[in-house]
């Protein structure tokens, strides 16, 4: 489950919260309005439970 980001709208950053029912592979990726991947925040195995991932608004190349 992915919860709404907090705060929203955000400046200069936000926190994304997601919850897993079991240990599994996760890819947490930000997409722009055109559907293009702009930033991968998390990719790998995550344990069951609630997780928080900050995002500073930057893309994978450091741009805003």
């Amino acid at each position: 489950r992915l919860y709404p980001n907090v705060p929203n709208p955000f400046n200069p950053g936000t926190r994304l919260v997601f919850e897993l029912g079991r240990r599994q592979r996760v890819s947490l990726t930000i997409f722009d309005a055109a559907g293009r991947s702009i930033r991968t925040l998390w990719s790998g195995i995550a344990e069951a439970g609630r997780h928080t991932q900050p995002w500073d608004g930057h893309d994978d190349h450091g741009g805003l």
Side-chain angles (χ1 to χ4, degrees):
R1 178 173 185 186
L2 178 63
Y3 294 92
N5 63 306
V6 179
N8 184 9
F10 65 92
N11 186 11
T14 191
R15 292 181 315 277
L16 300 160
V17 179
F18 63 98
E19 190 169 348
L20 303 173
R22 61 179 171 82
R23 183 178 190 260
Q24 61 188 314
R25 179 168 296 282
V26 172
S27 180
L28 186 58
T29 304
I30 305 296
F31 293 87
D32 68 11
R36 295 176 297 232
S37 171
I38 61 166
R39 179 94 185 255
T40 299
L41 301 175
W42 175 278
S43 183
I45 301 295
E47 299 298 326
R50 189 174 283 217
H51 302 269
T52 302
Q53 180 66 46
W55 181 42
D56 60 7
H58 290 90
D59 64 18
D60 280 334
H61 305 288
L64 288 173

